[in-house]
């Protein structure tokens, strides 16, 4: 037989596109349309309904960027349509290629109740099936004219990303506003042919199944009368029944489809628009659940449920009902789908605390999975945090985006820094916006790396990013693919059911140890520095507010601000969403974030001030409030006491090159006439820190124009061109005194200016560097380099509740791909017995490289560079323009313990206040290896004191915690403050609790106070 595959396949495409799909709505009548444009921001539904509307017509332009237009559509079903299925077709000017990325609408009845949403892949509203004929219809469309930011030609700078700069030009034209007859048989024929056509394209050419499908499709096309499609659709479907009924083979891969709409809590739209996107999507999904009994839909992010509850309670009621039925699944158990690289230890824990508690309180649902399909890599401390929150499974998709190395597993156990293992799945379909197309499913089968030992994967199914969710077409495809020869089987399933089945079938899944590094989007560790600084400052202020408020509550009965802290934590957690904190959102998002962080800081400062005043009362004794987890200046951790001067006074002397030498008995620092650190000599060790012939605190600037994903990416070739900023406008002494000496350095480059203060303080083994940058470069990358005379094959970088090690060499492609990585408060490099730490108060991105010198000693230079600023132009064309401040410090002679201590110290500066007397800590720990990350009152209002701590040095530690109150009981709990059998054994004696911690172990203690604190 002749090979006519190409002929039949081309025929199928044309007939579908030009004859069958257009026959879906064979008869239509226009609707009457009127519009009202809301001034400014969106208005309440009642106001939109009551406004005076003006007639408009199909073809009219509408919608200024970020505006809201209320369309009123009215009409009457023709009497002759009685007994038929009728829908309204409402096309606002959609581009079907961009669901979630352009205009959308929520349809309301005249009484204001929501019906469903409209988007480029969901343009219909059902009137009746069947109709009586003669019905009058009226709907009100709350239409959002969200501009297209990421267009067909992506990554072009645009001012559309902020309402303040977007202008007022209409973005769309009304395309269709009709009542129409919906031909169900034609619609079903479209689904039949799409499923078979897509399947056919993936089947082996030399296999009989492909030819069986091809011949059946050919017969169906023969049965269609192209001038009478509606009359002949049934006959065409008859030709396809046999091939659609052929069952899948016994070895077919099994796919669990989970209805899904990954809705970014902010990205190319502001937070307020996400509130509406959630309402639109959930309106459609609850309606689809009502129509399709087998369909299951999952939505993560407790914040989005909370928005729905607050802003659209009538939609939320539908969601709660569907949740109770087990078909609308709250997934993930986190407040938002956060970044996991940059949130601090407590913040990462609180993502689960607040997310899981919301789902428990609202729905009675206990999540056992983390659902993070789009997060940009996963920190090595996450498995233990998940386990302590009661989660045991993880789903993500993004690692499939890695540029260099293909991850070797799709189903595996992920081991974190403390040894905790989490069963993890990467869907081999390689998308979190699956449409259940034949190509996607065939890719999942081919791509699945665990064949032979597992045969089960998950497919998050629906339009996402900007929302939309699963469509009726996707559900129709799933119905046909449930058991179809040549295809994997597809079954709608809850995530927990998938994970339980997958784990049971693969008990010996392989293990991956350490971080799940995404070989892409490395620039997100630096972009939008103000947002990152706001996050870090908020995290530290929240720690202080809880500590001092709990101390004041215990010591003097000061009211504990439960509600305020709960609200402020949720605000900070929201802004850790994986496009806000990483800096990949539009300008509007980051402008609002800056204002939000300022408001959060002001409120937290008020709570801290109120608690400290309650603790200290009146008096003029100079006190230091030490919120860091280690003693400093004679003040215990968590205490208020007069400071004690430490060490000899600081001296300064001029250098011949125009610089200065600073000495404090511990370090001798040489700053040359260029303002560079050419020596950092450890006097006790008799050892130089700076590599021979090199200079530290060297600012370097690179061109930064990645191939795509501007705010997200830093491509390796950026390192090929570098300019050292060695010219100084001024190098002078600043403050000089017995307790500290400061050298001030100023530089100009391009259109920017840098002012630095280099300070050596009394009794401190560190050089503090306070850097202020007035940044006006574009597409440039600014780094601060510290070439160190250290031979190190690996370095330590702080992560949540500990640190991990990364190689300094590039032996393998896996290591070489980590040319930009994340650290929290410190990076440490060392040889046995001596090392150097770099600590910071607002930075995350860095790189570490090593070279062997060609001089006589053939020593190794290990260079640590802190990433300060970038200047991408998409999606925010003004990214990071303006003033910034960074504080970092060089700590010679540091071990890991020193790095941990100094990292906390720079992030939690002492507060100097006056008061009546010193205040001892409410809890104290006797081992510096055991770091307290939180002291608070229990969330249930019982008055119990909750302390979270962890082993921070990477070894075993025996620690004794002593309370500053009479202790009636102590219990180890999970993160949600519930008794937990996986906690350490506690040996309580009086007001002390002894425990033994394994390396990096997290422990949460609930301490009951004697005397009826409850």
């Amino acid at each position: 037989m002749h090979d006519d595959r190409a002929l039949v396949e081309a025929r199928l495409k044309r007939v579908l596109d030009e004859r069958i799909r257009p026959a879906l709505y064979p008869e239509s009548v226009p609707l009457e349309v009127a519009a009202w444009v809301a001034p400014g921001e969106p208005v309440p539904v009642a106001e939109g309904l009551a406004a005076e509307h003006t007639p408009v017509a199909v073809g009219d332009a509408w919608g200024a960027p970020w505006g809201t237009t209320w369309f009123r559509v009215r009409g009457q079903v023709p009497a002759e349509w009685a007994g038929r299925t009728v829908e309204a077709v409402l096309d606002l000017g959609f581009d079907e290629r961009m669901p979630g990325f352009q205009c959308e609408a929520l349809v309301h009845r005249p009484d204001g109740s929501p019906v469903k949403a409209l988007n480029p892949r969901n343009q219909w509203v059902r009137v009746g099936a069947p109709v009586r004929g003669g019905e009058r219809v009226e709907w009100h469309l709350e239409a959002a004219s969200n501009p297209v930011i990421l267009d067909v030609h992506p990554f072009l700078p645009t001012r559309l990303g902020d309402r303040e700069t977007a202008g007022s030009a209409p973005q769309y034209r009304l395309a269709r506003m009709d009542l129409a007859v919906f031909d169900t048989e034609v619609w079903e024929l479209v689904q039949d042919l799409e499923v078979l056509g897509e399947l056919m394209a993936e089947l082996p050419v030399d296999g009989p199944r492909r030819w069986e499908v091809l011949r059946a499709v050919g017969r169906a096309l023969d049965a269609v009368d192209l001038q009478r499609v509606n009359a002949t659709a049934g006959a065409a479907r008859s030709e396809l029944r046999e091939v659609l009924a052929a069952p899948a083979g016994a070895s077919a891969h099994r796919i669990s489809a989970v209805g899904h709409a990954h809705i970014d809590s902010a990205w190319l739209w502001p937070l307020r628009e996400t509130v509406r996107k959630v309402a639109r999507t959930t309106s459609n999904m609850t309606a689809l659940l009502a129509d399709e009994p087998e369909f299951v839909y999952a939505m993560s992010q407790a914040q989005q449920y909370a928005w729905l509850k607050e802003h659209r309670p009538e939609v939320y009621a539908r969601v709660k009902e569907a949740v109770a039925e087990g078909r609308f699944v709250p997934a993930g158990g986190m407040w938002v789908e956060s970044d996991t690289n940059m949130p601090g230890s407590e913040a990462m824990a609180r993502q689960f605390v607040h997310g899981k508690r919301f789902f428990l309180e609202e729905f009675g649902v206990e999540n056992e999975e983390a659902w993070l399909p789009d997060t940009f890599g996963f920190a090595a401390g996450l498995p233990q945090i998940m386990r302590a929150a009661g989660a045991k499974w993880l789903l993500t998709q993004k690692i499939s985006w890695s540029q260099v190395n293909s991850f070797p597993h799709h189903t595996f156990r992920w081991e974190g820094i403390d040894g905790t293992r989490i069963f993890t799945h990467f869907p081999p379909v390689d998308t979190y916006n699956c449409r259940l197309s034949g190509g996607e499913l065939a890719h999942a089968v081919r791509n699945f790396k665990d064949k032979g030992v597992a045969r089960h994967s998950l497919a998050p199914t629906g339009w996402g990013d900007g929302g939309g969710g699963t469509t009726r077409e996707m559900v129709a495809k799933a119905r046909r693919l449930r058991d179809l020869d040549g295809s994997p089987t597809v079954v709608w399933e809850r995530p927990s059911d998938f994970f339980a089945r997958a784990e049971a079938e693969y008990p010996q899944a392989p293990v991956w140890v350490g971080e799940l590094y995404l070989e892409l989007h490395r620039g997100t560790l630096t972009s939008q520095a103000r947002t990152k600084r706001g996050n870090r400052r908020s995290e530290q202020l929240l720690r202080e507010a809880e500590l001092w408020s709990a101390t004041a509550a215990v010591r003097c009965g000061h009211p504990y601000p439960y509600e305020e802290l709960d609200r402020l934590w949720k605000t900070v957690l929201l802004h850790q969403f994986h496009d806000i904190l990483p800096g990949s959102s539009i300008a509007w998002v980051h402008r609002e974030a800056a204002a939000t962080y300022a408001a959060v800081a002001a409120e937290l400062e008020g709570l801290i001030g109120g608690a400290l005043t309650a603790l200290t009362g009146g008096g003029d004794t100079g006190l230091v409030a030490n919120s860091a987890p280690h003693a400093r200046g004679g003040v215990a951790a968590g205490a208020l006491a007069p400071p004690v001067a430490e060490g000899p006074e600081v001296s300064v002397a001029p250098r011949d090159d125009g610089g200065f030498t600073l000495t404090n008995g511990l370090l001798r620092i040489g700053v040359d006439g260029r303002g560079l650190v050419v020596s950092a000599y450890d006097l006790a060790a008799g050892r130089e820190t700076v590599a021979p012939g090199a200079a530290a605190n060297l600012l370097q600037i690179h061109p930064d124009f990645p191939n795509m994903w501007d705010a997200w990416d830093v491509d390796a070739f950026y390192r090929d061109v570098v300019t050292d900023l060695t010219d100084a406008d001024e190098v002078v002494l600043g403050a000089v005194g017995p307790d500290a000496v400061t050298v001030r350095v100023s530089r100009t480059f391009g259109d920017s200016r840098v002012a630095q203060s280099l300070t050596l303080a009394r009794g401190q083994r560190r050089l503090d560097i306070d850097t202020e940058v007035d940044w006006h470069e574009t597409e440039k990358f600014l780094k601060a380099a510290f070439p160190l005379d250290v031979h190190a094959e690996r370095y330590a970088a702080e992560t949540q509740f500990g640190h991990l090690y990364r190689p300094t060499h590039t032996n393998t492609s896996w290591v070489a791909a980590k040319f930009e990585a994340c650290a929290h408060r410190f990076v440490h490099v060392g040889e046995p017995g001596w090392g150097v730490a770099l600590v910071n108060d607002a930075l995350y991105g860095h790189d570490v490289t090593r070279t062997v010198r060609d001089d006589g000693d053939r020593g190794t230079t290990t260079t640590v560079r802190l990433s300060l600023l970038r200047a991408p132009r998409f999606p925010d064309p003004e990214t990071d323009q303006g003033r910034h401040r960074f504080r970092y410090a060089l700590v010679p002679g540091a071990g890991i313990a020193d790095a941990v201590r100094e990292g906390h110290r720079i992030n939690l500066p002492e507060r100097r206040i006056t008061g009546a007397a010193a205040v001892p800590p409410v809890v104290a720990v006797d081992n510096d290896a055991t770091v307290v990350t939180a002291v608070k009152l229990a969330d249930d209002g019982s008055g119990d004191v909750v302390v979270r701590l962890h082993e921070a040095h990477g070894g075993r530690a025996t620690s004794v915690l002593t309370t500053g109150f009479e202790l009636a009981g102590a219990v180890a709990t999970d993160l949600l403050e519930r008794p937990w059998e996986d906690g350490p054994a506690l040996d309580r004696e009086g007001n002390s609790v002894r425990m033994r911690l394994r390396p990096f172990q997290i422990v949460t203690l609930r301490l009951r106070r004697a005397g009826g604190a409850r």
Side-chain angles (χ1 to χ4, degrees):
M1 182 177 289
H2 297 295
D3 185 349
D4 59 350
R5 287 179 300 111
L7 193 66
V8 176
E9 290 165 3
R11 180 189 181 195
L12 172 61
K13 183 179 186 309
R14 185 176 186 192
V15 171
L16 261 175
D17 290 346
E18 297 184 22
R19 291 293 188 271
I20 300 178
R21 287 195 185 98
L24 180 60
Y25 293 108
E27 299 176 55
S28 62
V29 295
L31 287 160
E32 172 192 305
V33 187
W36 173 73
V37 179
E41 285 296 280
V43 300
V45 173
E47 185 176 342
L49 296 177
E52 185 172 346
H53 290 60
T54 302
V56 295
V58 168
D60 286 354
W62 72 279
W66 306 113
T68 300
T69 300
W70 282 84
F71 291 103
R72 184 187 66 215
V73 296
R74 291 172 172 166
Q76 185 171 12
V77 177
E80 59 269 25
W81 290 0
R84 305 174 78 178
T85 298
V86 175
E87 293 182 346
V89 183
L90 306 172
D91 186 345
L92 300 176
F94 297 126
D95 182 338
E96 290 192 358
R97 299 170 299 175
M98 297 183 180
F101 291 89
Q102 52 170 239
C103 58
E104 304 169 16
L106 185 59
V107 181
H108 301 82
R109 300 179 183 90
D111 65 2
S113 60
V115 181
K116 68 182 295 287
L118 302 174
N119 63 55
R121 294 284 180 157
N122 211 316
Q123 303 178 20
W124 55 272
V125 178
R126 180 63 60 88
V127 176
V131 295
R132 299 186 310 273
E135 295 97 326
R136 297 199 65 83
V137 296
E138 179 177 329
W139 296 285
H140 294 256
L141 283 52
E142 181 188 7
S145 48
N146 301 330
V148 176
I149 306 295
L150 190 66
D151 210 335
V152 176
H153 184 176
F155 316 121
L156 294 179
T158 175
R159 298 285 176 178
L160 290 172
D162 194 332
R163 184 159 193 163
E164 294 184 352
T165 60
S168 59
Q171 301 293 294
Y172 301 100
R173 289 186 180 276
L174 290 179
R176 185 176 183 183
M177 292 281 169
D178 289 344
L179 282 179
V181 172
F182 176 79
D183 191 323
T184 303
E185 193 72 2
V186 170
W187 187 84
E188 296 286 2
L189 176 60
V190 170
Q191 314 316 312
D192 290 345
L193 288 172
E194 283 192 357
V195 165
L196 291 172
E198 291 168 355
L199 173 66
M200 182 170 57
E202 301 298 330
L203 292 170
V205 174
D206 56 357
R209 177 62 171 165
R210 178 158 184 165
W211 293 91
E212 290 170 2
V213 174
L214 184 80
R215 296 301 166 220
V217 167
R219 291 193 299 272
L221 296 176
D222 290 340
V224 174
D225 184 333
L226 299 184
Q227 280 68 49
R228 299 173 58 251
V229 171
N230 301 89
T232 54
R237 293 196 69 204
S238 296
E239 298 294 340
L240 302 174
R241 287 196 180 99
E242 185 176 346
V243 290
L244 284 169
S251 63
H253 185 75
R254 177 189 175 99
I255 289 180
S256 294
V258 179
H260 187 237
H262 165 65
I263 304 177
D264 286 314
S265 287
W267 180 28
L268 304 181
W269 43 86
L271 288 168
R272 66 90 154 144
E273 194 56 32
T274 311
V275 175
R276 303 202 295 176
K277 283 177 174 288
V278 171
R280 296 178 198 124
T281 297
T282 52
S283 294
N284 279 358
M285 295 305 96
T286 52
L288 193 59
L289 287 167
D291 292 340
E292 302 289 348
E294 294 183 0
F295 177 52
V296 175
Y297 180 76
M299 187 171 92
S300 67
Q301 306 191 68
Q303 171 68 83
Q304 296 187 359
Y305 290 83
W307 279 332
L308 201 61
K309 181 180 180 181
E310 177 184 359
H311 296 281
R312 296 287 185 174
E314 66 279 30
V315 180
Y316 188 65
R318 287 158 52 178
V319 169
K320 288 200 76 169
E321 182 179 347
V323 171
E325 295 171 355
R327 297 177 58 220
F328 193 116
V329 183
M334 296 175 68
W335 191 248
V336 294
E337 289 184 13
S338 73
D339 179 80
T340 76
N341 286 312
M342 291 175 282
S345 301
E346 270 305 303
M348 200 72 255
R350 305 298 175 97
Q351 286 286 352
F352 287 93
V353 169
H354 286 283
K356 292 200 71 170
R357 183 168 291 139
F358 183 93
F359 288 160
L360 279 165
E361 292 176 353
E362 290 291 318
F363 310 119
V365 170
E366 174 87 23
N367 295 90
E368 292 187 298
E369 78 285 337
W371 184 276
L372 292 164
D374 192 28
T375 296
F376 308 155
F378 298 86
L382 188 59
Q384 183 181 191
I385 298 171
M386 290 177 54
R387 183 72 73 188
K392 59 183 181 180
W393 302 314
L394 169 66
L395 178 134
T396 186
Q397 180 65 66
K398 202 69 170 191
I399 300 299
S400 69
W401 286 38
S402 284
Q403 287 178 314
V404 180
N405 298 285
S406 177
F407 198 81
H409 317 294
H410 281 105
T411 303
F412 61 100
R413 296 190 185 275
W414 176 31
E415 181 177 317
I417 55 175
D418 77 313
T420 298
R421 292 180 176 181
I422 294 292
F423 188 80
T424 302
H425 180 66
F426 294 171
V429 72
D430 279 351
T431 178
Y432 49 80
N433 295 324
C434 180
R435 297 175 290 113
L436 297 181
S437 71
E440 290 171 328
L441 300 185
H443 173 76
V445 175
R446 290 191 299 265
N447 189 38
F448 189 52
K449 292 184 170 66
D450 302 285
K451 299 182 188 75
V453 286
R455 52 179 288 242
H456 196 181
S457 68
L458 186 146
T461 302
W463 296 107
D465 290 320
T470 316
T471 64
R472 61 184 179 183
E473 289 79 13
M474 296 173 191
V475 176
K477 283 191 172 184
R479 189 179 303 118
R480 290 159 172 80
L481 295 165
R482 184 184 298 117
D483 189 14
L484 181 62
D485 186 15
S487 170
T489 63
V490 176
V491 178
W492 294 109
E493 199 162 37
R494 288 182 291 270
S496 59
D497 293 337
F498 160 76
F499 273 110
R501 193 187 317 277
E503 190 171 23
E505 81 167 359
Y506 203 8
Q508 301 302 318
V511 176
W512 180 271
V513 178
E515 67 184 325
L516 294 172
Y517 180 91
L518 177 63
E519 296 172 359
L520 195 73
H521 293 358
R522 304 168 184 88
T524 59
L525 301 174
T526 306
S527 295
Q528 298 288 1
R530 289 184 193 86
T531 299
K532 291 173 171 56
R533 184 171 187 82
N535 174 73
R536 182 78 69 87
R537 186 183 181 209
S538 297
E539 289 180 351
Q540 307 305 346
L541 289 173
L542 281 161
R543 172 199 175 95
E544 289 191 80
E546 288 184 337
L547 169 65
W548 300 126
S549 294
T551 303
V554 171
R555 295 286 183 208
C556 56
H558 184 67
Y560 190 79
Y562 290 102
E563 293 183 3
E564 294 90 336
L565 289 170
D566 180 78
R567 172 174 45 79
L568 291 166
W569 262 116
K570 288 173 179 174
T571 299
V572 173
L573 297 177
L574 165 60
H575 286 79
Q576 291 177 340
F577 179 74
H578 66 251
D579 279 304
I580 303 178
L581 180 54
S584 48
S585 292
I586 56 174
W588 190 343
V589 173
H590 293 288
R591 173 172 56 81
E592 287 190 333
T596 298
Y597 282 131
V600 166
E603 188 169 355
L604 287 170
E605 289 286 2
L607 294 179
I608 293 165
L612 291 176
T613 298
L615 283 167
T616 59
D620 56 5
T621 301
L623 302 172
V624 164
N626 178 20
S627 60
H630 306 93
R632 58 181 170 190
V635 182
L640 294 98
V644 178
E646 299 175 322
E649 297 182 353
V650 185
S651 64
V652 61
R655 288 170 52 102
D656 293 342
D657 58 13
F660 302 92
T661 299
L662 288 59
T663 307
N664 68 354
L666 300 172
L667 299 177
R668 185 174 66 239
I669 304 296
V671 180
D672 70 5
R674 302 171 297 172
L676 303 177
V677 178
V678 292
S679 176
Y681 194 79
D682 181 346
L683 293 169
R687 176 156 180 174
E688 178 58 63
T689 303
V690 181
N697 191 38
L698 171 64
L699 297 178
Q700 297 180 307
I701 196 165
H702 298 267
D704 182 17
F705 189 64
N707 289 342
M708 59 193 320
W709 299 109
D710 296 41
W712 295 257
D713 283 359
V714 170
D715 285 336
F717 53 74
Y718 90 90
R719 299 173 296 181
D720 295 345
V721 179
V722 60
T723 300
D724 293 343
L725 304 180
T726 58
D727 294 336
D729 301 330
E730 187 177 57
V731 180
V732 298
L733 285 176
V736 177
D739 292 329
V741 173
T742 296
V743 177
R744 292 193 55 79
V745 181
S746 61
R747 309 181 193 278
T748 54
F749 58 93
D751 295 320
S752 304
R753 179 178 176 85
V754 178
Q756 291 188 307
S757 296
L758 284 63
T759 301
L760 184 65
R762 185 177 186 177
Q764 303 303 322
R765 297 177 59 88
R766 71 178 188 274
L767 175 67
D768 289 309
I769 303 169
D770 194 329
T771 300
E772 296 184 17
V773 186
D774 189 9
W775 179 247
H776 296 285
E777 308 306 305
T778 58
E779 296 167 350
K780 296 290 192 294
F781 197 1
L782 182 66
K783 294 234 177 195
F786 292 81
L788 308 173
D789 190 10
V790 176
H791 178 81
E793 293 183 358
R794 66 176 189 170
Y795 73 95
E798 189 187 34
T799 188
Q800 293 100 0
F801 296 107
H803 57 269
L804 74 156
Y805 288 97
R806 299 187 183 102
T808 59
H809 57 71
T810 55
N811 279 2
T812 70
S813 60
W814 292 89
V815 176
K818 297 182 180 182
F819 59 81
E820 183 79 5
C822 184
H824 286 191
R825 286 168 289 220
F826 72 80
V827 170
H828 178 270
V829 296
E831 302 169 1
W834 194 87
V836 183
L838 271 168
V839 298
N840 76 85
D841 76 340
L843 303 172
Y844 298 94
H846 67 279
D847 69 84
V848 180
T849 55
R850 67 194 297 269
T851 58
V852 175
R853 300 187 293 270
D854 291 331
D855 56 15
D857 74 347
R858 299 180 63 81
T860 300
T861 297
T862 302
T863 300
V864 180
R865 298 199 306 165
L866 304 177
S867 302
L868 304 185
L869 287 165
R870 298 185 65 222
R873 300 186 63 211
F874 181 87
D876 176 4
E878 300 295 327
T879 301
D880 281 331
Q881 299 301 294
R883 295 183 178 275
H884 302 270
R885 183 183 181 189
F886 311 100
R887 294 176 65 240
Y888 40 92
L890 177 68
V891 189
I896 289 291
D898 303 296
V900 172
R901 182 187 64 252
E902 295 299 339
H904 283 286
R905 185 191 301 249
I906 198 172
N907 281 272
L908 293 161
E910 60 189 25
R911 290 178 180 269
R912 293 186 175 268
I913 60 175
T914 57
V919 179
V922 72
V923 295
V925 179
D926 71 342
N927 187 339
D928 273 0
T930 303
V931 169
V932 174
T933 62
V935 178
K936 60 190 286 293
L937 294 194
D939 290 343
D940 62 5
S942 64
D944 292 351
V945 175
V946 171
V947 179
R948 188 143 38 245
L949 47 83
H950 71 288
E951 195 290 316
H953 296 173
R956 295 189 179 273
T958 299
S959 301
V960 176
L961 179 144
T962 303
T963 63
F965 52 86
E966 188 176 348
L967 182 62
V971 63
T973 74
D974 65 6
L975 294 182
L976 276 73
E977 301 169 10
R978 305 172 296 190
W980 193 38
E981 61 184 15
D982 283 0
L986 304 180
D987 182 10
R988 185 171 75 86
E989 182 177 345
N991 293 337
S992 295
V993 179
R994 179 183 295 273
M995 70 201 96
R996 182 170 176 79
L997 281 68
R998 66 177 182 270
F1000 300 129
Q1001 183 177 4
I1002 305 169
V1003 176
T1004 304
L1005 298 178
R1006 186 171 181 137
L1007 309 173
R1008 182 162 54 88
R1009 293 187 277 155
R1014 295 171 184 271

